[in-house]
Amino acid sequence: MSRIRNFSIIAHIDHGKSTLADRLMERTGAVTEREMRDQLLDSMDLERERGITIKAQSVRLTHRAGDGSDYTLNLIDTPGHVDFSYEVSRSLAACEGAILLVDAAQGVQAQTLANAYLAVEAGLEIIPVINKIDLPAAEPERVADEIVGILGGDPAAVIRVSAKTGEGIDELLDRIVADIPPPTGRADAPLRALVFDSYFDTYRGVVCSVRVVDGALVTDEQLLFMATRERHPANELGVITPRAKSIDRLGVGEVGFLITGVKEIDRIRVGDTVTTAHDPADVPLPGYAEPKPMVFSGLFPSDGDDFERLREALDKLQLNDASLVWEPETSRALGFGFRVGFLGLLHMEIVRERLEREYDLDLVATAPSVAYRVTSTDGEVTDIRSPQDLPAPANIEQLEEPYVRAMIITPSEYVGAVMELAQARRGEMAHMQYLSPERVELIYQIPLAEVVFDFFDTLKSRTRGYASLDYEPSDYRVSDLVRVDILLAGQSVDAFSTITHRDKAYTYGKAMVERLRELIPRQLFDVPIQAAIGSRIISRETVKARRKDVLAKCYGGDISRKRKLLERQKEGKRRMKMVGSVEVPQEAFIAALRVDGDDR
Amino acid sequence: MTRPDAVALAEAAATWRGAYVHIPFCARLCPYCDFAVVPGQLDQMDRYIEAVVREVGMEPEWAPLDTVFFGGGTPSRVPADRLARVCDALSNRFGFASDVEVTIEANPEDVDAAYARQVAAAGIARVSLGAQSFDDGVLAALGRVHRAVDTVRAVDALRSAGIASISIDLIFGHPVETAAVWSATLDEAVAAGVDHVSTYALTVERGTELSRQIADGAPAPDEDTQADRWSLADARLAQAGFIRYEVSNRAKVGHVSRHNLATWGRAEYVAFGLGAHGFRAGVRRRNVRRLDAYLEAIEANRRPEAGRETVAGWQAECERVMLGLRRAAGVRAGRAGTALLASDEGRRLTGAGVLVRRGDRLVVERPLLTDAAVRAVLWLPES
């Protein structure tokens, strides 16, 4: 146990986490250079393409230290983004230490900070490392100052490496052994093992990553999962080296995988505690929580015939992503689809992209929304995920919306632009600090609804791409929120209803109404398009009735041609959706949903 | 206003037999035209006329014709004695009803006193002049070679030669045309003393010079403006004693075009010449559009057919309603019309005042929206 070191690598996207992991594996002889697949830990295509690690895996390495002894190093991979902050926190809970990896040219980014704070909160020993010192643009001294500004300590103690060339790797391995404490735990106590990750394998079913805290996990024993109260046998135990290798036993402080034969991923919960059925522990390990979606969006197939395929695709995605939740949703404008809950914006983007790419679906997504908390006049509190579910204003005592703590790091020249943006999005500044003369960290309390709507893209464009953002849920706050409905010829079009702050209702309504006026074809009668809060109209446009719809003449008696022309027009009409008596092409709805952030 | 005699005429038209003869020759190509035309090539004319005469001989015999129509292209590019030769062929093959209507289309610049006399001598009693406008600016924009004064002279010449029924075509809604210009054109049309006026909205057909100009940024005709122009024409011509019997056609009493009414009455017609379309015994057939292919086929004793389509049963019933709805007299509702009224779309159309049932007839009350009703017929499931 004293020769075990469990650690994670915390890094911003593209700061070189996967390259460093590869180098550590190579240097410890886990893989040879020849057989090494580049960036071994990131297995999904999408991960590799975006440079994001979505699902964690752990690798067992053996390192002969300066004292001549062999140490077992368990490198526990963590998701890189705070959308997955619960998963990150569970991975960190399996560690005693963390490498904080920062790009020598880019310096500390918001995501680095957010995860570093999680690691500090988890009580981990943090080893700061500056990567990519071989780059011409590298400024290791400046970056070391930034890191020390945040974590304290001595700039000279910050390790400089190049994961690419291998420079500094040996020093890093020695520091892992020297600085990170060995695991503690009682070998004679009843088994307690933390499930810090799980994934679905087509042949093996659900594979859990586990860290034994007390006792021992032994093959063939009957296990009890304490949160779900489910019992499953330990069919197989193993470690990844990085090839999967079966073993009979995982003792205190050890990390490995567990296969129980369970096929449904949502039956095994990340954060759950595994104990033995015959001699269960009294208390589970702390920190378990149900996955909680933060952002919601309606997903509809562009072609209504694809509804079943969308359902199947979501089912398949869920095999590997227990945090994905959805329920059927019917929209008058968009037909049958699902209201899907995501952990955050990145999660939403990844899921949408995987659905479109891996399942070849063409999707229409409604504007993302958040879960609003409604207190009714009779005191009942409910969370609503869709604007449709908001009760009539008369029945609402108060409305609350989720706020997040948003961390933004920006070059100091853009501080003004960032503050302007955050204020326009109803942000309240909580904290501002200069990490260095050139770089500033700003922390805002800001409504999640404002962040989910294009905030990141706008932030990037206003800072020439230099600012970084991360956020974590903070609390619910009472807000002056209203639902804006969009009405076509007096009929509300569900897909366009939105809950927004009263100050922004008019801007949204006006933009949407104007957009629809451009997109809706003229009908036999005038079509009023209105934005309304309850029964109060806040904006109005009219699509004037079509006045001429007749072919001039019939050339040389060519009736067939006339009929074909009309049939083509009819085909166009087949793709129309009826809203009351108004015919709207599906494309108009889709185009109208592509509202840019400045309309809010 | 549906007049009882108009209804009777419209219904009678369904039983008429027609012949359409296409004359593709033109002095030049008009930028908006997508008919089967051959600019120039007048050296092919005799060969072409002989081919048409031979094609008439290939058509199975039939009962006497009620209407013969020479369309184009520009029939007036052809000397009237050649048209008379085709008329003779038709008459010999099918016979003519005693009150047969024989029409040619003519360009104003082709019609002088001599030509008018030839036409009359050929037994052609109806001439439809491609006047298009009485404004020289609009004529130039339309790419026409004649001027307003040519139309006035042509009408006088035809009258003097004893042509019984004179019609003019007008095109409205070109972007250069203002309301005042259109209004003046209508006044000139009335003053010219013609018997029949067709007013057509300028339409941008694919593949025409006009559509290329618009793609390159020239202004396109505006639908609302065209609606205004149509309404102006409707009022002005009604005031002058022209009765609208179809969306685009108005005539003084006794001058309704049989050829026109027959088309919208779903009457049968035989067709000869380049790109011509015929409809007989439930079959719609069309001829090839290329002159050399046409001539070669005829000279090899083959019909120059490019395609055919059989229209029967429910489709034929729907077609009857679709065509008939263009007439002011409307159409007998029948199975398709009754189904239309009962459909969602039909209810929307009646709700919007487009469609109305009057006795056993279905009438489009807002002619400019006729195609909304016509498309709705295409929607109907068989009943």
Side-chain angles (χ1 to χ4, degrees), chain A residues 547 549 555 557 563 569 581, chain B residues 228 309 319 348 368 375:
Chain A
R547 295 179 52 207
D549 179 8
Y555 305 107
R563 195 174 55 232
Q569 294 172 351
S581 56
Chain B
D228 288 339
E309 181 190 29
E319 201 177 78
R348 277 150 40 79
L368 283 179
R375 272 195 302 275

Side-chain angles (χ1 to χ4, degrees), chain A residues 347-519:
Chain A
H347 189 216
M348 176 170 78
E349 231 174 282
I350 289 170
V351 168
R352 261 164 53 180
E353 231 177 281
R354 290 189 63 188
L355 288 170
E356 298 211 304
R357 190 184 303 189
E358 294 170 28
Y359 298 91
D360 194 26
L361 287 160
D362 190 17
L363 297 177
V364 183
T366 62
S369 69
V370 300
Y372 294 95
R373 187 161 292 165
V374 186
T375 308
S376 69
T377 41
D378 51 17
E380 198 184 328
V381 179
T382 42
D383 281 358
I384 60 151
R385 297 168 166 195
S386 164
Q388 307 313 310
D389 300 334
L390 192 70
N395 299 330
I396 299 174
E397 180 65 38
Q398 71 170 23
L399 255 178
E400 292 166 274
E401 65 178 321
Y403 269 64
V404 293
R405 184 180 134 93
M407 286 149 278
I408 300 163
I409 293 181
T410 176
S412 42
E413 57 190 297
Y414 300 116
V415 163
V418 171
M419 287 169 65
E420 206 175 291
L421 171 65
Q423 274 156 23
R425 299 298 184 93
R426 299 189 283 136
E428 290 165 28
M429 192 194 283
H431 181 70
M432 178 166 117
Q433 100 177 69
Y434 276 78
L435 301 176
S436 66
E438 296 83 30
R439 280 155 49 83
V440 181
E441 177 196 24
L442 295 136
I443 295 181
Y444 275 88
Q445 290 290 338
I446 188 167
L448 176 60
E450 299 283 354
V451 177
V452 300
F453 212 90
D454 210 31
F455 185 83
F456 186 55
D457 288 345
T458 313
L459 179 71
K460 281 283 182 196
S461 74
R462 294 205 186 169
T463 61
R464 296 178 180 273
Y466 283 115
S468 59
L469 163 77
D470 217 318
Y471 63 89
E472 59 188 30
S474 64
D475 54 0
Y476 270 78
R477 298 188 185 187
V478 176
S479 283
D480 188 8
L481 299 167
V482 291
R483 187 176 81 201
V484 182
D485 294 319
I486 304 294
L487 296 86
L488 287 190
Q491 295 249 11
S492 162
V493 187
D494 44 24
F496 297 132
S497 289
T498 194
I499 294 174
T500 181
H501 193 269
R502 189 180 297 278
D503 292 350
K504 303 197 165 185
Y506 174 71
T507 318
Y508 172 82
K510 186 166 181 288
M512 201 51 109
V513 158
E514 282 173 1
R515 183 160 313 206
L516 283 168
R517 192 204 52 201
E518 300 290 319
L519 293 167

